[in-house]
Amino acid sequence: MIHNETEYQQAVANLAQSREYFAQQRERLKKEGFPDEAITTLIDSAMHFHLNLQWEVEHYERIMRGEFPELENLHGLGFLLISLRIAQGISQRELAKRLDVHESQVSRDERNEYFGITVERAAKILDAMNVRLKVVMEKTTPVVPAKRISSRVPSASAHRRTRRQNGRAAAG
């Protein structure tokens, strides 16, 4: 994850370099007579890091515009906390001061995306950044287990008994 403007600028430069590198490789492979399908397969398999870096750059740009990922049942809370800090231009050192903890604690927490964070701790971090989260509850349809259907097939005698009982009830 890109944590500051310096990392962002480095990532953008790396993206430009890797685009140029992949274009050169594509041309080289074409000159060597590789078919287009083979070139695409070779280049695509090597582009994993490039695509990940591109996603990080786009995410950084979104949070700098104030566009944050939505939370569902608090999944992704750590990622949101980091994004909020970055968007506000608060350094890890500054957040550590506000929380009265060592800077290495904030760094470690962010590296682990606040995995296992308590609600109380998340609230302290949000307070330290002067952020208020609003919760919108949406009722979901509960999953009702299907009724268990017996896999037993009634015997012929049981079937006749049921028919006789139903016949008596109808006659009486």
Side-chain angles (χ1 to χ4, degrees):
M1 180 173 201
I2 298 172
H3 291 90
N4 55 47
E5 189 64 25
T6 302
E7 289 179 7
Y8 170 73
Q9 294 300 330
Q10 290 171 343
V12 169
N14 286 344
L15 275 178
Q17 288 174 346
S18 64
R19 277 189 202 104
E20 184 178 320
Y21 170 79
F22 287 123
Q24 290 171 353
Q25 293 305 312
R26 192 176 297 279
E27 283 302 311
R28 183 182 62 80
L29 292 169
K30 196 171 200 135
K31 284 179 184 176
E32 290 180 15
F34 283 86
D36 287 342
E37 287 180 18
I39 294 171
T40 300
T41 302
L42 289 168
I43 298 294
D44 286 355
S45 64
M47 286 187 70
H48 179 72
F49 175 77
H50 172 83
L51 294 173
N52 188 48
L53 188 59
Q54 184 175 337
W55 181 88
E56 287 188 25
V57 165
E58 290 169 358
H59 172 72
Y60 185 85
E61 291 169 345
R62 282 191 302 276
I63 64 172
M64 294 309 288
R65 289 190 304 264
E67 299 170 14
F68 300 101
E70 287 187 11
L71 293 182
E72 187 168 320
N73 294 337
L74 299 181
H75 298 291
L77 177 61
F79 194 70
L80 178 64
L81 292 172
I82 298 166
S83 297
L84 290 166
R85 179 191 62 75
I86 293 168
Q88 289 188 12
I90 299 170
S91 67
Q92 289 181 340
R93 178 175 291 141
E94 176 60 29
L95 181 58
K97 279 185 204 174
R98 294 180 186 189
L99 294 169
D100 197 27
V101 298
H102 195 273
E103 182 180 349
S104 64
Q105 179 66 47
V106 173
S107 176
R108 187 172 37 255
D109 286 342
E110 288 195 0
R111 195 171 39 255
N112 295 321
E113 290 187 8
Y114 289 100
F115 180 79
I117 190 171
T118 64
V119 173
E120 292 81 13
R121 182 104 192 284
K124 284 181 184 178
I125 294 167
L126 290 167
D127 289 344
M129 293 190 291
N130 297 314
V131 172
R132 197 175 113 218
L133 288 183
K134 288 174 106 177
V135 176
V136 176
M137 289 182 31
E138 293 178 353
K139 187 174 180 178
T140 59
T141 306
V143 177
V144 179
K147 288 184 179 180
R148 186 166 183 224
I149 300 173
S150 174
S151 60
R152 283 185 51 211
V153 177
S155 66
S157 60
H159 182 68
R160 282 191 299 270
R161 220 179 5 256
T162 304
R163 284 183 49 199
R164 272 190 306 238
Q165 289 170 347
N166 289 343
R168 283 188 207 134

